[in-house]
Amino acid sequence: TEKYPYYVCNAYTSSSGLIPEDILASYSVDSFIYCVSKTFIAKIKPEEEKHSVNKVYITNIESDQRKLSLNDLASLPPNVKNIKISFTLFDFSKSEDVAYSYKLLDRNNWIELPTNEVLLSELSAGKYNLQILARNKYSGQIFGTESILLQVNQVWWKKIWFILFVNVSLLFGIFLLYRQWLSRQMATKNKISNLEFDLKEVKLQALEGQMNPHFIFNSLTAIQYFIQENKLKEAEYFLSQFSKLIRAYLEAARNSTILLASEVSLLTRYIELEHMRFEHKFDFNIDVDPNLHGDELEIPTMLIQPFIENAIRHGLFHRKIDGKLNLKFILSDRDLIIQIMDNGIGIENAKTISNELGRDNISRALQIFQEKIELYNNINTFTIAYSVENLNEEETKFKGTKVQVILKDILNSQKI
């Protein structure tokens, strides 16, 4: 003991912590084995040793070059990647013949290890029971086992409390959206009810008027279309303008004549409604001669509205794009010339289509107009003449139509 600074531990058994890797040398003296380590000498009597099966000793635990303890394995962070666990067998006498294997879950098969280390990579969240087995590589005799519990924590957004919170929030959001949708539906139904009520009133007013029934029917149909399509703003605007036009025509219908300025205003409003009803498929322009005294000159009420309606319904209706409607009021000497021009399919083509559909609206409208001007010519000091012709004979499909109404000597008759 003077030469070697060690002390002797009598009956120091392998189960007390003797690790084969720590043994520097061993000697057999008098049926005892002396094992020399850095800090002590162990005295062992082999025949007195009682070997047990639980001799695998965990020597080191690392995760990405960071040392861990067994307590750390009980609660690992979600982002843990590589865990290396090193172990050994207490019994030095079996160190050369030992083979190690492991399994991570009870249901898994044993996996052979080339060394006394196991590397666990990319563990998903959950609980694991790491079992390590040491056995004789030749005979298969089990030398020792060890069991370690591991738990990888779940990321916060996958935890039950967060999932419950998301689900509750989602259900609450759906409930709020449903309430909002239900409220909008009720508001929409109320608006539709109000519009339908207003529409009935307009129909009653229209029955008392003398406007063209085709325009009334088509306008009411357009309003119903906007309502059915939930285009409430368009329906409200159309209904408002239509109501104003109805009232204006009812006022005008009380008299046989109307100021030119008022007639131009009514026609403008009428064409705007038709422009909206036909979804802006045509453009229009109204040109009034600046030398005309619109606030003084009176003309027959609703004289040219039927021609404008025919231009839109029978001429421009068949054009999908680039439709044009031009209305001109021209002063020629003492006469007033009114021109209605469109680039539709032309008068003959329109008559053909109308006849094929079993209708004779165009001929009937011209007949009604002819009867009106004959009446006007009998009671007025000025006479009315009109003509209808194709605007462009060279065209095959869209010949266009030009209607010209002349109020002859109307300025002299009214002393303007």
Side-chain angles (χ1 to χ4, degrees):
T1 58
E2 294 180 358
K3 186 177 181 180
Y4 300 100
Y6 302 114
Y7 63 94
V8 177
C9 300
N10 291 326
Y12 196 88
T13 63
S14 59
S15 61
S16 300
L18 184 62
I19 301 173
E21 284 79 358
D22 292 340
I23 298 174
L24 300 178
S26 60
Y27 303 94
S28 177
V29 180
D30 299 332
S31 71
F32 285 93
I33 296 176
Y34 294 88
C35 296
V36 182
S37 70
K38 293 180 180 179
T39 57
F40 61 83
I41 297 174
K43 180 182 179 183
I44 303 171
K45 192 170 184 179
E47 61 270 16
E48 294 181 357
E49 290 298 317
K50 295 181 180 179
H51 303 289
S52 61
V53 175
N54 220 349
K55 299 180 180 179
V56 177
Y57 176 73
I58 305 300
T59 59
N60 188 53
I61 304 173
E62 292 182 2
S63 176
D64 297 327
Q65 298 182 347
R66 183 173 65 92
K67 285 188 173 294
L68 301 176
S69 67
L70 287 173
N71 291 334
D72 293 331
L73 294 181
S75 181
L76 294 167
N79 58 350
V80 65
K81 292 185 177 179
N82 300 310
I83 301 174
K84 184 173 70 174
I85 301 176
S86 303
F87 40 83
T88 188
L89 195 65
F90 275 177
D91 197 336
F92 70 92
S93 63
K94 303 178 177 64
S95 60
E96 295 181 355
D97 299 333
V98 70
Y100 296 98
S101 57
Y102 83 99
K103 61 180 179 178
L104 196 56
L105 297 171
D106 293 335
R107 62 177 180 273
N108 294 148
N109 296 324
W110 290 99
I111 301 174
E112 299 292 334
L113 292 170
T115 62
N116 61 331
E117 292 179 347
V118 60
L119 181 63
L120 306 176
S121 301
E122 303 290 341
L123 291 178
S124 58
K127 294 182 178 180
Y128 301 90
N129 181 21
L130 176 63
Q131 299 180 53
I132 301 170
L133 175 67
R135 61 179 177 80
N136 188 295
K137 67 175 65 176
Y138 303 110
S139 66
Q141 178 187 355
I142 296 176
F143 293 152
T145 61
E146 184 60 61
S147 179
I148 304 173
L149 296 179
L150 295 88
Q151 178 171 318
V152 179
N153 295 327
Q154 186 66 271
V155 291
W156 64 270
W157 47 271
K158 287 187 177 180
K159 290 184 177 180
I160 294 178
W161 67 266
F162 181 76
I163 294 174
L164 289 175
F165 172 79
V166 170
N167 288 334
V168 171
S169 300
L170 184 60
L171 290 174
F172 184 71
I174 292 174
F175 173 74
L176 290 181
L177 289 175
Y178 174 75
R179 285 280 302 273
Q180 187 177 14
W181 174 83
L182 193 60
S183 177
R184 288 180 178 177
Q185 288 294 105
M186 292 299 296
T188 300
K189 288 182 179 179
N190 290 334
K191 284 186 177 181
I192 291 175
S193 298
N194 293 334
L195 285 172
E196 289 176 344
F197 178 78
D198 293 340
L199 184 58
K200 290 177 180 179
E201 289 189 342
V202 171
K203 287 180 179 179
L204 292 175
Q205 294 177 8
L207 291 175
E208 299 174 1
Q210 299 179 18
M211 291 185 61
N212 191 301
H214 292 296
F215 168 66
I216 297 173
F217 175 78
N218 291 333
S219 296
L220 297 179
T221 301
I223 297 172
Q224 289 176 337
Y225 167 77
F226 288 137
I227 292 175
Q228 290 171 358
E229 292 298 317
N230 275 335
K231 296 181 179 180
L232 301 182
K233 291 184 179 179
E234 291 86 346
E236 289 175 344
Y237 177 81
F238 195 103
L239 182 58
S240 173
Q241 296 301 313
F242 179 68
S243 300
K244 293 177 182 177
L245 185 60
I246 288 286
R247 287 192 292 268
Y249 267 116
L250 291 175
E251 289 292 329
R254 296 177 181 177
N255 303 308
S256 60
T257 61
I258 185 173
L259 289 174
L260 177 62
S262 299
E263 179 72 359
V264 171
S265 176
L266 290 176
L267 291 173
T268 301
R269 187 170 291 170
Y270 166 75
I271 297 173
E272 286 177 345
L273 287 180
E274 292 289 70
H275 183 248
M276 182 179 177
R277 187 169 70 87
F278 281 89
E279 298 180 341
H280 310 284
K281 292 181 180 179
F282 69 92
D283 295 325
F284 67 94
N285 181 63
I286 299 177
D287 186 16
V288 180
D289 193 323
N291 295 318
L292 286 168
H293 300 278
D295 294 333
E296 298 177 10
L297 181 61
E298 292 183 347
I299 64 173
T301 304
M302 296 178 63
L303 179 66
I304 60 173
Q305 189 270 341
F307 288 111
I308 296 175
E309 181 180 358
N310 282 339
I312 296 173
R313 290 185 63 239
H314 301 292
L316 297 174
F317 173 78
H318 300 282
R319 292 191 70 105
K320 301 301 181 184
I321 57 174
D322 298 331
K324 296 185 184 301
L325 175 66
N326 292 314
L327 177 60
K328 292 184 177 181
F329 295 85
I330 306 167
L331 178 61
S332 177
D333 196 6
R334 307 299 288 174
D335 301 336
L336 172 61
I337 301 174
I338 305 173
Q339 293 179 348
I340 305 104
M341 293 171 288
D342 66 81
N343 62 346
I345 61 174
I347 187 67
E348 289 84 9
N349 291 335
K351 285 183 178 180
T352 301
I353 294 175
S354 181
N355 291 332
E356 289 175 353
L357 295 175
R359 304 169 184 169
D360 197 18
N361 297 334
I362 299 175
S363 299
R364 184 180 177 185
L366 292 175
Q367 181 181 354
I368 293 173
F369 182 78
Q370 182 65 40
E371 294 174 356
K372 282 184 178 181
I373 64 172
E374 288 178 359
L375 179 61
Y376 283 136
N377 289 339
N378 290 330
I379 63 175
N380 291 318
T381 56
F382 61 90
T383 59
I384 302 173
Y386 79 100
S387 62
V388 181
E389 61 183 13
N390 288 327
L391 191 61
N392 191 349
E393 291 289 353
E394 296 178 0
E395 289 287 337
T396 57
K397 184 176 181 180
F398 299 107
K399 294 180 180 295
T401 304
K402 177 181 178 181
V403 176
Q404 183 165 279
V405 179
I406 303 174
L407 284 69
K408 296 180 180 181
D409 206 33
I410 188 171
L411 269 70
N412 286 333
S413 67
Q414 298 183 23
K415 297 180 181 182
I416 295 175

